[in-house]
Amino acid sequence: MAEILSNIQVSPGVFRMKIAGKYEGRAGQFYMLRGSRIEPLLSRPLSIFDLSDHYIEFLYQVVGEGTHLFAGLKRGDSLNLVGPLGNGFPVLEGRIALVGGGIGIAPLYYAARQMVASDVFLGFREEAYLVREFSSVCSRIQVRVGGSILDEVVFEDYDYIFVCGPTGMLKAAGQRQAERHYTGNLFVSVENKMACGIGACLVCSVKVPGGTKRACVEGPVFLAKEVDFDD
Ligand code: FES
């Protein structure tokens, strides 16, 4: 069991939760979290927002019963954590863009801390949040409220682009890659539903040419060209 140090609302329906302890993990990996005394019993996958020697942080949006219950937890309450899970982002050098839409920004803070020369693009539907925190860890930041943050990204300026957000945004990024004949590496982090988190249930399957892959084991980070978004 792990103790919650804080669980703060940073924007309507979006919470930043800090949990005590020393945890492992790369940017883009996730943990399965489950409350000790609360239903539902199924764990919920949350991306690593940040890590230190003394705590791990998660950023999450209240979208269902599980995250609604997380939002009610207070300092001193406890949770079960299993992880780190998934493949995470490769740590690369070069011209890097980290692009997040909505709660898709969650894994990008830790990624920006690891890939220090990266440019960060954050897109929000109604209200920006955590911009000052991101500004402190990246070389350049661009924020957009409303519309598509992808419009701000000049693909050709980058060797590597990471996109995290809803499926429609990931699909749009893949389409732009094709339209612009972008020859760099475009990675996407999928937000597929998960149940077990360890490769057993296949709930998180991602369609790829010739079959499927499990977002919780082979992903959630894929090269965009590997994913069949038309499924
Ligand atoms: Fe069960 Fe991925 S969540 S196989």
Side-chain angles (χ1 to χ4, degrees):
M1 298 295 289
E3 181 187 351
I4 295 172
L5 295 174
S6 61
N7 190 26
I8 298 165
Q9 187 166 214
V10 298
S11 184
V14 179
F15 288 76
R16 178 178 180 177
M17 182 161 58
K18 181 183 286 189
I19 294 174
K22 182 169 171 50
Y23 292 90
E24 305 289 326
R26 291 195 308 276
Q29 289 189 294
F30 64 93
Y31 276 75
M32 298 298 287
L33 280 74
R34 181 164 58 82
S36 58
R37 300 189 303 272
I38 57 176
E39 296 291 341
L41 288 175
L42 276 183
S43 302
R44 292 292 175 270
L46 296 183
S47 297
I48 298 168
F49 178 75
D50 199 16
L51 269 182
S52 83
D53 284 345
H54 309 293
Y55 62 79
I56 184 168
E57 285 191 281
F58 301 96
L59 186 70
Y60 64 95
Q61 185 165 30
V62 177
V63 292
E65 190 179 1
T67 45
H68 178 73
L69 291 167
F70 287 166
L73 296 172
K74 303 276 186 282
R75 178 183 175 89
D77 288 341
S78 54
L79 280 172
N80 285 304
L81 274 70
V82 176
L85 301 169
N87 57 357
F89 301 138
V91 176
L92 301 163
E93 292 183 9
R95 299 172 302 165
I96 299 168
L98 304 174
V99 187
I103 198 61
I105 72 168
L108 300 186
Y109 182 79
Y110 191 36
R113 289 217 300 119
Q114 293 188 320
M115 296 182 265
V116 290
S118 54
D119 294 345
V120 172
F121 299 81
L122 306 180
F124 302 93
R125 186 173 294 170
E126 293 176 352
E127 175 182 297
Y129 46 86
L130 299 179
V131 173
R132 194 177 55 195
E133 286 82 350
F134 273 93
S135 299
S136 69
V137 296
C138 66
S139 61
R140 188 169 78 92
I141 185 167
Q142 194 135 354
V143 177
R144 179 164 178 165
V145 179
S148 174
I149 188 62
L150 289 171
D151 290 344
E152 312 295 336
V153 185
V154 179
F155 277 42
E156 298 73 24
D157 286 351
Y158 298 99
D159 302 310
Y160 306 99
I161 301 174
F162 296 87
V163 181
C164 308
T167 301
M169 178 181 178
L170 308 187
K171 182 175 180 178
Q175 288 169 340
R176 287 172 196 230
Q177 177 181 34
E179 289 163 9
R180 299 179 187 186
H181 306 292
Y182 173 64
T183 56
N185 294 284
L186 173 65
F187 294 92
V188 294
S189 182
V190 301
E191 292 185 347
N192 287 30
K193 281 195 179 355
M194 292 185 188
C196 72
I198 55 170
C201 71
L202 307 185
V203 161
C204 65
S205 292
V206 174
K207 186 102 181 287
V208 298
T212 60
K213 289 188 175 180
R214 298 162 299 177
C216 66
V217 176
E218 288 90 16
V221 180
F222 298 94
L223 281 168
K225 63 187 179 188
E226 291 180 345
V227 180
D228 183 354
F229 289 111
D230 291 326
D231 181 43

